[in-house]
mmCIF file with all atom_site columns, all heavy atoms in Angstrom:
data_model
loop_
_atom_site.group_PDB
_atom_site.id
_atom_site.type_symbol
_atom_site.label_atom_id
_atom_site.label_alt_id
_atom_site.label_comp_id
_atom_site.label_asym_id
_atom_site.label_entity_id
_atom_site.label_seq_id
_atom_site.pdbx_PDB_ins_code
_atom_site.Cartn_x
_atom_site.Cartn_y
_atom_site.Cartn_z
_atom_site.occupancy
_atom_site.B_iso_or_equiv
_atom_site.pdbx_formal_charge
_atom_site.auth_seq_id
_atom_site.auth_comp_id
_atom_site.auth_asym_id
_atom_site.auth_atom_id
_atom_site.pdbx_PDB_model_num
ATOM 1   N N   . ARG U 1 1  ? 0.826  -1.218  0.000   1.00 58.00 ? 1  ARG U N   1
ATOM 2   C CA  . ARG U 1 1  ? 0.000  0.000   0.000   1.00 58.00 ? 1  ARG U CA  1
ATOM 3   C C   . ARG U 1 1  ? 0.860  1.269   0.000   1.00 58.00 ? 1  ARG U C   1
ATOM 4   O O   . ARG U 1 1  ? 0.671  2.187   0.805   1.00 58.00 ? 1  ARG U O   1
ATOM 5   C CB  . ARG U 1 1  ? -0.940 0.003   1.214   1.00 58.00 ? 1  ARG U CB  1
ATOM 6   C CG  . ARG U 1 1  ? -1.799 -1.237  1.320   1.00 58.00 ? 1  ARG U CG  1
ATOM 7   C CD  . ARG U 1 1  ? -2.607 -1.298  2.585   1.00 58.00 ? 1  ARG U CD  1
ATOM 8   N NE  . ARG U 1 1  ? -3.177 -2.621  2.793   1.00 58.00 ? 1  ARG U NE  1
ATOM 9   C CZ  . ARG U 1 1  ? -3.854 -2.983  3.873   1.00 58.00 ? 1  ARG U CZ  1
ATOM 10  N NH1 . ARG U 1 1  ? -4.051 -2.114  4.847   1.00 58.00 ? 1  ARG U NH1 1
ATOM 11  N NH2 . ARG U 1 1  ? -4.326 -4.209  3.986   1.00 58.00 ? 1  ARG U NH2 1
ATOM 12  N N   . CYS U 1 2  ? 1.813  1.296   -0.905  1.00 60.00 ? 2  CYS U N   1
ATOM 13  C CA  . CYS U 1 2  ? 2.748  2.423   -0.972  1.00 60.00 ? 2  CYS U CA  1
ATOM 14  C C   . CYS U 1 2  ? 2.027  3.718   -1.340  1.00 60.00 ? 2  CYS U C   1
ATOM 15  O O   . CYS U 1 2  ? 1.235  3.746   -2.282  1.00 60.00 ? 2  CYS U O   1
ATOM 16  C CB  . CYS U 1 2  ? 3.840  2.124   -1.999  1.00 60.00 ? 2  CYS U CB  1
ATOM 17  S SG  . CYS U 1 2  ? 5.037  3.467   -2.172  1.00 60.00 ? 2  CYS U SG  1
ATOM 18  N N   . PRO U 1 3  ? 2.304  4.821   -0.639  1.00 59.00 ? 3  PRO U N   1
ATOM 19  C CA  . PRO U 1 3  ? 1.649  6.090   -0.948  1.00 59.00 ? 3  PRO U CA  1
ATOM 20  C C   . PRO U 1 3  ? 2.108  6.711   -2.264  1.00 59.00 ? 3  PRO U C   1
ATOM 21  O O   . PRO U 1 3  ? 1.472  7.628   -2.777  1.00 59.00 ? 3  PRO U O   1
ATOM 22  C CB  . PRO U 1 3  ? 2.040  6.987   0.239   1.00 59.00 ? 3  PRO U CB  1
ATOM 23  C CG  . PRO U 1 3  ? 3.348  6.434   0.702   1.00 59.00 ? 3  PRO U CG  1
ATOM 24  C CD  . PRO U 1 3  ? 3.215  4.941   0.524   1.00 59.00 ? 3  PRO U CD  1
ATOM 25  N N   . ASN U 1 4  ? 3.201  6.196   -2.815  1.00 58.00 ? 4  ASN U N   1
ATOM 26  C CA  . ASN U 1 4  ? 3.747  6.777   -4.050  1.00 58.00 ? 4  ASN U CA  1
ATOM 27  C C   . ASN U 1 4  ? 3.354  5.996   -5.299  1.00 58.00 ? 4  ASN U C   1
ATOM 28  O O   . ASN U 1 4  ? 3.896  6.249   -6.374  1.00 58.00 ? 4  ASN U O   1
ATOM 29  C CB  . ASN U 1 4  ? 5.288  6.819   -3.957  1.00 58.00 ? 4  ASN U CB  1
ATOM 30  C CG  . ASN U 1 4  ? 5.768  7.578   -2.746  1.00 58.00 ? 4  ASN U CG  1
ATOM 31  O OD1 . ASN U 1 4  ? 5.345  8.696   -2.501  1.00 58.00 ? 4  ASN U OD1 1
ATOM 32  N ND2 . ASN U 1 4  ? 6.652  6.964   -1.981  1.00 58.00 ? 4  ASN U ND2 1
ATOM 33  N N   . ILE U 1 5  ? 2.432  5.078   -5.174  1.00 60.00 ? 5  ILE U N   1
ATOM 34  C CA  . ILE U 1 5  ? 2.113  4.203   -6.301  1.00 60.00 ? 5  ILE U CA  1
ATOM 35  C C   . ILE U 1 5  ? 1.686  4.990   -7.534  1.00 60.00 ? 5  ILE U C   1
ATOM 36  O O   . ILE U 1 5  ? 2.107  4.685   -8.649  1.00 60.00 ? 5  ILE U O   1
ATOM 37  C CB  . ILE U 1 5  ? 1.033  3.160   -5.917  1.00 60.00 ? 5  ILE U CB  1
ATOM 38  C CG1 . ILE U 1 5  ? 0.799  2.198   -7.087  1.00 60.00 ? 5  ILE U CG1 1
ATOM 39  C CG2 . ILE U 1 5  ? -0.260 3.819   -5.463  1.00 60.00 ? 5  ILE U CG2 1
ATOM 40  C CD1 . ILE U 1 5  ? -0.074 0.998   -6.722  1.00 60.00 ? 5  ILE U CD1 1
ATOM 41  N N   . SER U 1 6  ? 0.891  6.031   -7.360  1.00 60.00 ? 6  SER U N   1
ATOM 42  C CA  . SER U 1 6  ? 0.437  6.794   -8.526  1.00 60.00 ? 6  SER U CA  1
ATOM 43  C C   . SER U 1 6  ? 1.593  7.506   -9.206  1.00 60.00 ? 6  SER U C   1
ATOM 44  O O   . SER U 1 6  ? 1.723  7.483   -10.436 1.00 60.00 ? 6  SER U O   1
ATOM 45  C CB  . SER U 1 6  ? -0.633 7.810   -8.106  1.00 60.00 ? 6  SER U CB  1
ATOM 46  O OG  . SER U 1 6  ? -1.808 7.144   -7.709  1.00 60.00 ? 6  SER U OG  1
ATOM 47  N N   . GLU U 1 7  ? 2.467  8.125   -8.405  1.00 62.00 ? 7  GLU U N   1
ATOM 48  C CA  . GLU U 1 7  ? 3.608  8.834   -8.983  1.00 62.00 ? 7  GLU U CA  1
ATOM 49  C C   . GLU U 1 7  ? 4.516  7.873   -9.743  1.00 62.00 ? 7  GLU U C   1
ATOM 50  O O   . GLU U 1 7  ? 4.908  8.149   -10.880 1.00 62.00 ? 7  GLU U O   1
ATOM 51  C CB  . GLU U 1 7  ? 4.411  9.553   -7.895  1.00 62.00 ? 7  GLU U CB  1
ATOM 52  C CG  . GLU U 1 7  ? 5.628  10.282  -8.436  1.00 62.00 ? 7  GLU U CG  1
ATOM 53  C CD  . GLU U 1 7  ? 6.476  10.928  -7.366  1.00 62.00 ? 7  GLU U CD  1
ATOM 54  O OE1 . GLU U 1 7  ? 6.046  10.975  -6.193  1.00 62.00 ? 7  GLU U OE1 1
ATOM 55  O OE2 . GLU U 1 7  ? 7.571  11.408  -7.699  1.00 62.00 ? 7  GLU U OE2 1
ATOM 56  N N   . CYS U 1 8  ? 4.833  6.753   -9.117  1.00 62.00 ? 8  CYS U N   1
ATOM 57  C CA  . CYS U 1 8  ? 5.765  5.812   -9.751  1.00 62.00 ? 8  CYS U CA  1
ATOM 58  C C   . CYS U 1 8  ? 5.145  5.145   -10.972 1.00 62.00 ? 8  CYS U C   1
ATOM 59  O O   . CYS U 1 8  ? 5.794  5.015   -12.014 1.00 62.00 ? 8  CYS U O   1
ATOM 60  C CB  . CYS U 1 8  ? 6.209  4.763   -8.738  1.00 62.00 ? 8  CYS U CB  1
ATOM 61  S SG  . CYS U 1 8  ? 7.243  5.439   -7.405  1.00 62.00 ? 8  CYS U SG  1
ATOM 62  N N   . TRP U 1 9  ? 3.893  4.732   -10.865 1.00 56.00 ? 9  TRP U N   1
ATOM 63  C CA  . TRP U 1 9  ? 3.265  4.071   -12.006 1.00 56.00 ? 9  TRP U CA  1
ATOM 64  C C   . TRP U 1 9  ? 3.015  5.061   -13.134 1.00 56.00 ? 9  TRP U C   1
ATOM 65  O O   . TRP U 1 9  ? 3.062  4.705   -14.302 1.00 56.00 ? 9  TRP U O   1
ATOM 66  C CB  . TRP U 1 9  ? 1.976  3.369   -11.567 1.00 56.00 ? 9  TRP U CB  1
ATOM 67  C CG  . TRP U 1 9  ? 2.262  2.082   -10.835 1.00 56.00 ? 9  TRP U CG  1
ATOM 68  C CD1 . TRP U 1 9  ? 3.395  1.776   -10.129 1.00 56.00 ? 9  TRP U CD1 1
ATOM 69  C CD2 . TRP U 1 9  ? 1.419  0.938   -10.745 1.00 56.00 ? 9  TRP U CD2 1
ATOM 70  N NE1 . TRP U 1 9  ? 3.294  0.519   -9.594  1.00 56.00 ? 9  TRP U NE1 1
ATOM 71  C CE2 . TRP U 1 9  ? 2.101  -0.025  -9.950  1.00 56.00 ? 9  TRP U CE2 1
ATOM 72  C CE3 . TRP U 1 9  ? 0.147  0.632   -11.226 1.00 56.00 ? 9  TRP U CE3 1
ATOM 73  C CZ2 . TRP U 1 9  ? 1.546  -1.261  -9.657  1.00 56.00 ? 9  TRP U CZ2 1
ATOM 74  C CZ3 . TRP U 1 9  ? -0.396 -0.615  -10.924 1.00 56.00 ? 9  TRP U CZ3 1
ATOM 75  C CH2 . TRP U 1 9  ? 0.295  -1.546  -10.154 1.00 56.00 ? 9  TRP U CH2 1
ATOM 76  N N   . ASN U 1 10 ? 2.754  6.311   -12.798 1.00 59.00 ? 10 ASN U N   1
ATOM 77  C CA  . ASN U 1 10 ? 2.648  7.330   -13.839 1.00 59.00 ? 10 ASN U CA  1
ATOM 78  C C   . ASN U 1 10 ? 3.996  7.567   -14.510 1.00 59.00 ? 10 ASN U C   1
ATOM 79  O O   . ASN U 1 10 ? 4.071  7.953   -15.677 1.00 59.00 ? 10 ASN U O   1
ATOM 80  C CB  . ASN U 1 10 ? 2.128  8.654   -13.262 1.00 59.00 ? 10 ASN U CB  1
ATOM 81  C CG  . ASN U 1 10 ? 0.638  8.616   -12.985 1.00 59.00 ? 10 ASN U CG  1
ATOM 82  O OD1 . ASN U 1 10 ? -0.104 7.887   -13.634 1.00 59.00 ? 10 ASN U OD1 1
ATOM 83  N ND2 . ASN U 1 10 ? 0.190  9.387   -12.008 1.00 59.00 ? 10 ASN U ND2 1
ATOM 84  N N   . HIS U 1 11 ? 5.064  7.336   -13.746 1.00 59.00 ? 11 HIS U N   1
ATOM 85  C CA  . HIS U 1 11 ? 6.410  7.489   -14.286 1.00 59.00 ? 11 HIS U CA  1
ATOM 86  C C   . HIS U 1 11 ? 6.770  6.300   -15.177 1.00 59.00 ? 11 HIS U C   1
ATOM 87  O O   . HIS U 1 11 ? 7.757  6.329   -15.903 1.00 59.00 ? 11 HIS U O   1
ATOM 88  C CB  . HIS U 1 11 ? 7.410  7.618   -13.132 1.00 59.00 ? 11 HIS U CB  1
ATOM 89  C CG  . HIS U 1 11 ? 8.786  8.005   -13.553 1.00 59.00 ? 11 HIS U CG  1
ATOM 90  N ND1 . HIS U 1 11 ? 9.726  7.082   -13.960 1.00 59.00 ? 11 HIS U ND1 1
ATOM 91  C CD2 . HIS U 1 11 ? 9.395  9.215   -13.653 1.00 59.00 ? 11 HIS U CD2 1
ATOM 92  C CE1 . HIS U 1 11 ? 10.857 7.705   -14.262 1.00 59.00 ? 11 HIS U CE1 1
ATOM 93  N NE2 . HIS U 1 11 ? 10.686 8.988   -14.093 1.00 59.00 ? 11 HIS U NE2 1
ATOM 94  N N   . GLY U 1 12 ? 5.954  5.252   -15.093 1.00 55.00 ? 12 GLY U N   1
ATOM 95  C CA  . GLY U 1 12 ? 6.204  4.067   -15.909 1.00 55.00 ? 12 GLY U CA  1
ATOM 96  C C   . GLY U 1 12 ? 7.131  3.066   -15.266 1.00 55.00 ? 12 GLY U C   1
ATOM 97  O O   . GLY U 1 12 ? 7.852  2.335   -15.949 1.00 55.00 ? 12 GLY U O   1
ATOM 98  N N   . THR U 1 13 ? 7.150  3.012   -13.934 1.00 65.00 ? 13 THR U N   1
ATOM 99  C CA  . THR U 1 13 ? 7.999  2.049   -13.252 1.00 65.00 ? 13 THR U CA  1
ATOM 100 C C   . THR U 1 13 ? 7.232  1.405   -12.117 1.00 65.00 ? 13 THR U C   1
ATOM 101 O O   . THR U 1 13 ? 6.207  1.923   -11.663 1.00 65.00 ? 13 THR U O   1
ATOM 102 C CB  . THR U 1 13 ? 9.279  2.705   -12.714 1.00 65.00 ? 13 THR U CB  1
ATOM 103 O OG1 . THR U 1 13 ? 10.164 1.689   -12.241 1.00 65.00 ? 13 THR U OG1 1
ATOM 104 C CG2 . THR U 1 13 ? 8.973  3.661   -11.574 1.00 65.00 ? 13 THR U CG2 1
ATOM 105 N N   . ALA U 1 14 ? 7.714  0.260   -11.669 1.00 68.00 ? 14 ALA U N   1
ATOM 106 C CA  . ALA U 1 14 ? 7.091  -0.455  -10.558 1.00 68.00 ? 14 ALA U CA  1
ATOM 107 C C   . ALA U 1 14 ? 8.146  -1.320  -9.896  1.00 68.00 ? 14 ALA U C   1
ATOM 108 O O   . ALA U 1 14 ? 9.164  -1.645  -10.508 1.00 68.00 ? 14 ALA U O   1
ATOM 109 C CB  . ALA U 1 14 ? 5.937  -1.329  -11.059 1.00 68.00 ? 14 ALA U CB  1
ATOM 110 N N   . THR U 1 15 ? 7.908  -1.677  -8.633  1.00 82.00 ? 15 THR U N   1
ATOM 111 C CA  . THR U 1 15 ? 8.822  -2.564  -7.920  1.00 82.00 ? 15 THR U CA  1
ATOM 112 C C   . THR U 1 15 ? 8.183  -3.943  -7.845  1.00 82.00 ? 15 THR U C   1
ATOM 113 O O   . THR U 1 15 ? 7.170  -4.127  -7.165  1.00 82.00 ? 15 THR U O   1
ATOM 114 C CB  . THR U 1 15 ? 9.126  -2.029  -6.506  1.00 82.00 ? 15 THR U CB  1
ATOM 115 O OG1 . THR U 1 15 ? 9.764  -0.761  -6.619  1.00 82.00 ? 15 THR U OG1 1
ATOM 116 C CG2 . THR U 1 15 ? 10.041 -2.983  -5.752  1.00 82.00 ? 15 THR U CG2 1
ATOM 117 N N   . PHE U 1 16 ? 8.762  -4.892  -8.569  1.00 89.00 ? 16 PHE U N   1
ATOM 118 C CA  . PHE U 1 16 ? 8.167  -6.215  -8.667  1.00 89.00 ? 16 PHE U CA  1
ATOM 119 C C   . PHE U 1 16 ? 8.461  -7.046  -7.417  1.00 89.00 ? 16 PHE U C   1
ATOM 120 O O   . PHE U 1 16 ? 9.555  -6.998  -6.862  1.00 89.00 ? 16 PHE U O   1
ATOM 121 C CB  . PHE U 1 16 ? 8.688  -6.932  -9.909  1.00 89.00 ? 16 PHE U CB  1
ATOM 122 C CG  . PHE U 1 16 ? 8.217  -6.304  -11.187 1.00 89.00 ? 16 PHE U CG  1
ATOM 123 C CD1 . PHE U 1 16 ? 9.032  -5.427  -11.897 1.00 89.00 ? 16 PHE U CD1 1
ATOM 124 C CD2 . PHE U 1 16 ? 6.945  -6.560  -11.675 1.00 89.00 ? 16 PHE U CD2 1
ATOM 125 C CE1 . PHE U 1 16 ? 8.600  -4.841  -13.069 1.00 89.00 ? 16 PHE U CE1 1
ATOM 126 C CE2 . PHE U 1 16 ? 6.500  -5.980  -12.852 1.00 89.00 ? 16 PHE U CE2 1
ATOM 127 C CZ  . PHE U 1 16 ? 7.320  -5.111  -13.547 1.00 89.00 ? 16 PHE U CZ  1
ATOM 128 N N   . LEU U 1 17 ? 7.457  -7.809  -7.011  1.00 89.00 ? 17 LEU U N   1
ATOM 129 C CA  . LEU U 1 17 ? 7.539  -8.635  -5.807  1.00 89.00 ? 17 LEU U CA  1
ATOM 130 C C   . LEU U 1 17 ? 7.689  -10.096 -6.208  1.00 89.00 ? 17 LEU U C   1
ATOM 131 O O   . LEU U 1 17 ? 6.779  -10.692 -6.793  1.00 89.00 ? 17 LEU U O   1
ATOM 132 C CB  . LEU U 1 17 ? 6.277  -8.429  -4.966  1.00 89.00 ? 17 LEU U CB  1
ATOM 133 C CG  . LEU U 1 17 ? 6.236  -9.084  -3.589  1.00 89.00 ? 17 LEU U CG  1
ATOM 134 C CD1 . LEU U 1 17 ? 7.275  -8.440  -2.660  1.00 89.00 ? 17 LEU U CD1 1
ATOM 135 C CD2 . LEU U 1 17 ? 4.837  -8.943  -2.980  1.00 89.00 ? 17 LEU U CD2 1
ATOM 136 N N   . LEU U 1 18 ? 8.839  -10.679 -5.892  1.00 93.00 ? 18 LEU U N   1
ATOM 137 C CA  . LEU U 1 18 ? 9.115  -12.064 -6.228  1.00 93.00 ? 18 LEU U CA  1
ATOM 138 C C   . LEU U 1 18 ? 8.633  -13.013 -5.131  1.00 93.00 ? 18 LEU U C   1
ATOM 139 O O   . LEU U 1 18 ? 8.347  -12.594 -4.014  1.00 93.00 ? 18 LEU U O   1
ATOM 140 C CB  . LEU U 1 18 ? 10.615 -12.292 -6.426  1.00 93.00 ? 18 LEU U CB  1
ATOM 141 C CG  . LEU U 1 18 ? 11.252 -11.882 -7.754  1.00 93.00 ? 18 LEU U CG  1
ATOM 142 C CD1 . LEU U 1 18 ? 11.210 -10.379 -7.953  1.00 93.00 ? 18 LEU U CD1 1
ATOM 143 C CD2 . LEU U 1 18 ? 12.695 -12.375 -7.821  1.00 93.00 ? 18 LEU U CD2 1
ATOM 144 N N   . LEU U 1 19 ? 8.578  -14.286 -5.472  1.00 93.00 ? 19 LEU U N   1
ATOM 145 C CA  . LEU U 1 19 ? 8.338  -15.379 -4.516  1.00 93.00 ? 19 LEU U CA  1
ATOM 146 C C   . LEU U 1 19 ? 6.918  -15.415 -3.975  1.00 93.00 ? 19 LEU U C   1
ATOM 147 O O   . LEU U 1 19 ? 6.656  -15.940 -2.889  1.00 93.00 ? 19 LEU U O   1
ATOM 148 C CB  . LEU U 1 19 ? 9.332  -15.312 -3.339  1.00 93.00 ? 19 LEU U CB  1
ATOM 149 C CG  . LEU U 1 19 ? 10.811 -15.158 -3.693  1.00 93.00 ? 19 LEU U CG  1
ATOM 150 C CD1 . LEU U 1 19 ? 11.651 -15.069 -2.425  1.00 93.00 ? 19 LEU U CD1 1
ATOM 151 C CD2 . LEU U 1 19 ? 11.281 -16.326 -4.550  1.00 93.00 ? 19 LEU U CD2 1
ATOM 152 N N   . GLY U 1 20 ? 5.976  -14.838 -4.718  1.00 85.00 ? 20 GLY U N   1
ATOM 153 C CA  . GLY U 1 20 ? 4.589  -14.841 -4.282  1.00 85.00 ? 20 GLY U CA  1
ATOM 154 C C   . GLY U 1 20 ? 4.201  -13.569 -3.561  1.00 85.00 ? 20 GLY U C   1
ATOM 155 O O   . GLY U 1 20 ? 4.945  -12.583 -3.557  1.00 85.00 ? 20 GLY U O   1
ATOM 156 N N   . ASP U 1 21 ? 3.035  -13.592 -2.928  1.00 82.00 ? 21 ASP U N   1
ATOM 157 C CA  . ASP U 1 21 ? 2.540  -12.392 -2.245  1.00 82.00 ? 21 ASP U CA  1
ATOM 158 C C   . ASP U 1 21 ? 2.235  -12.639 -0.772  1.00 82.00 ? 21 ASP U C   1
ATOM 159 O O   . ASP U 1 21 ? 1.522  -11.871 -0.134  1.00 82.00 ? 21 ASP U O   1
ATOM 160 C CB  . ASP U 1 21 ? 1.288  -11.847 -2.948  1.00 82.00 ? 21 ASP U CB  1
ATOM 161 C CG  . ASP U 1 21 ? 0.126  -12.841 -2.929  1.00 82.00 ? 21 ASP U CG  1
ATOM 162 O OD1 . ASP U 1 21 ? 0.349  -14.019 -2.590  1.00 82.00 ? 21 ASP U OD1 1
ATOM 163 O OD2 . ASP U 1 21 ? -1.001 -12.431 -3.255  1.00 82.00 ? 21 ASP U OD2 1
ATOM 164 N N   . THR U 1 22 ? 2.778  -13.733 -0.215  1.00 83.00 ? 22 THR U N   1
ATOM 165 C CA  . THR U 1 22 ? 2.593  -14.013 1.209   1.00 83.00 ? 22 THR U CA  1
ATOM 166 C C   . THR U 1 22 ? 3.954  -14.251 1.855   1.00 83.00 ? 22 THR U C   1
ATOM 167 O O   . THR U 1 22 ? 4.858  -14.825 1.245   1.00 83.00 ? 22 THR U O   1
ATOM 168 C CB  . THR U 1 22 ? 1.701  -15.246 1.430   1.00 83.00 ? 22 THR U CB  1
ATOM 169 O OG1 . THR U 1 22 ? 2.266  -16.373 0.755   1.00 83.00 ? 22 THR U OG1 1
ATOM 170 C CG2 . THR U 1 22 ? 0.293  -14.985 0.910   1.00 83.00 ? 22 THR U CG2 1
ATOM 171 N N   . CYS U 1 23 ? 4.102  -13.816 3.078   1.00 86.00 ? 23 CYS U N   1
ATOM 172 C CA  . CYS U 1 23 ? 5.397  -13.793 3.766   1.00 86.00 ? 23 CYS U CA  1
ATOM 173 C C   . CYS U 1 23 ? 5.413  -14.758 4.945   1.00 86.00 ? 23 CYS U C   1
ATOM 174 O O   . CYS U 1 23 ? 4.383  -14.983 5.593   1.00 86.00 ? 23 CYS U O   1
ATOM 175 C CB  . CYS U 1 23 ? 5.659  -12.359 4.247   1.00 86.00 ? 23 CYS U CB  1
ATOM 176 S SG  . CYS U 1 23 ? 7.312  -12.079 4.913   1.00 86.00 ? 23 CYS U SG  1
ATOM 177 N N   . THR U 1 24 ? 6.579  -15.321 5.234   1.00 87.00 ? 24 THR U N   1
ATOM 178 C CA  . THR U 1 24 ? 6.711  -16.225 6.374   1.00 87.00 ? 24 THR U CA  1
ATOM 179 C C   . THR U 1 24 ? 7.004  -15.477 7.665   1.00 87.00 ? 24 THR U C   1
ATOM 180 O O   . THR U 1 24 ? 7.086  -16.103 8.727   1.00 87.00 ? 24 THR U O   1
ATOM 181 C CB  . THR U 1 24 ? 7.828  -17.260 6.123   1.00 87.00 ? 24 THR U CB  1
ATOM 182 O OG1 . THR U 1 24 ? 9.048  -16.582 5.826   1.00 87.00 ? 24 THR U OG1 1
ATOM 183 C CG2 . THR U 1 24 ? 7.456  -18.179 4.963   1.00 87.00 ? 24 THR U CG2 1
ATOM 184 N N   . ARG U 1 25 ? 7.171  -14.182 7.583   1.00 87.00 ? 25 ARG U N   1
ATOM 185 C CA  . ARG U 1 25 ? 7.390  -13.376 8.791   1.00 87.00 ? 25 ARG U CA  1
ATOM 186 C C   . ARG U 1 25 ? 6.191  -12.462 9.028   1.00 87.00 ? 25 ARG U C   1
ATOM 187 O O   . ARG U 1 25 ? 5.357  -12.276 8.154   1.00 87.00 ? 25 ARG U O   1
ATOM 188 C CB  . ARG U 1 25 ? 8.684  -12.570 8.683   1.00 87.00 ? 25 ARG U CB  1
ATOM 189 C CG  . ARG U 1 25 ? 9.909  -13.456 8.572   1.00 87.00 ? 25 ARG U CG  1
ATOM 190 C CD  . ARG U 1 25 ? 11.204 -12.693 8.698   1.00 87.00 ? 25 ARG U CD  1
ATOM 191 N NE  . ARG U 1 25 ? 12.349 -13.564 8.440   1.00 87.00 ? 25 ARG U NE  1
ATOM 192 C CZ  . ARG U 1 25 ? 13.614 -13.166 8.457   1.00 87.00 ? 25 ARG U CZ  1
ATOM 193 N NH1 . ARG U 1 25 ? 13.907 -11.895 8.717   1.00 87.00 ? 25 ARG U NH1 1
ATOM 194 N NH2 . ARG U 1 25 ? 14.589 -14.010 8.197   1.00 87.00 ? 25 ARG U NH2 1
ATOM 195 N N   . SER U 1 26 ? 6.149  -11.887 10.210  1.00 82.00 ? 26 SER U N   1
ATOM 196 C CA  . SER U 1 26 ? 4.998  -11.051 10.573  1.00 82.00 ? 26 SER U CA  1
ATOM 197 C C   . SER U 1 26 ? 5.471  -9.744  11.208  1.00 82.00 ? 26 SER U C   1
ATOM 198 O O   . SER U 1 26 ? 5.209  -9.473  12.375  1.00 82.00 ? 26 SER U O   1
ATOM 199 C CB  . SER U 1 26 ? 4.068  -11.798 11.528  1.00 82.00 ? 26 SER U CB  1
ATOM 200 O OG  . SER U 1 26 ? 4.798  -12.326 12.642  1.00 82.00 ? 26 SER U OG  1
ATOM 201 N N   . CYS U 1 27 ? 6.205  -8.966  10.419  1.00 83.00 ? 27 CYS U N   1
ATOM 202 C CA  . CYS U 1 27 ? 6.660  -7.651  10.902  1.00 83.00 ? 27 CYS U CA  1
ATOM 203 C C   . CYS U 1 27 ? 5.451  -6.760  11.179  1.00 83.00 ? 27 CYS U C   1
ATOM 204 O O   . CYS U 1 27 ? 4.485  -6.761  10.408  1.00 83.00 ? 27 CYS U O   1
ATOM 205 C CB  . CYS U 1 27 ? 7.574  -7.002  9.867   1.00 83.00 ? 27 CYS U CB  1
ATOM 206 S SG  . CYS U 1 27 ? 9.092  -7.930  9.560   1.00 83.00 ? 27 CYS U SG  1
ATOM 207 N N   . ARG U 1 28 ? 5.517  -5.984  12.217  1.00 82.00 ? 28 ARG U N   1
ATOM 208 C CA  . ARG U 1 28 ? 4.356  -5.219  12.660  1.00 82.00 ? 28 ARG U CA  1
ATOM 209 C C   . ARG U 1 28 ? 4.174  -3.898  11.924  1.00 82.00 ? 28 ARG U C   1
ATOM 210 O O   . ARG U 1 28 ? 3.310  -3.102  12.280  1.00 82.00 ? 28 ARG U O   1
ATOM 211 C CB  . ARG U 1 28 ? 4.436  -4.966  14.168  1.00 82.00 ? 28 ARG U CB  1
ATOM 212 C CG  . ARG U 1 28 ? 4.261  -6.240  14.996  1.00 82.00 ? 28 ARG U CG  1
ATOM 213 C CD  . ARG U 1 28 ? 3.812  -5.916  16.392  1.00 82.00 ? 28 ARG U CD  1
ATOM 214 N NE  . ARG U 1 28 ? 2.543  -5.205  16.382  1.00 82.00 ? 28 ARG U NE  1
ATOM 215 C CZ  . ARG U 1 28 ? 2.214  -4.245  17.252  1.00 82.00 ? 28 ARG U CZ  1
ATOM 216 N NH1 . ARG U 1 28 ? 3.102  -3.857  18.163  1.00 82.00 ? 28 ARG U NH1 1
ATOM 217 N NH2 . ARG U 1 28 ? 1.046  -3.655  17.196  1.00 82.00 ? 28 ARG U NH2 1
#
């Protein structure tokens, strides 16, 4: 839920998430 998603996606870039979309850790 990055607050900069509109700016970055409008810029034509994105940060890709590897290894699926679920994590084995639970950072708060």
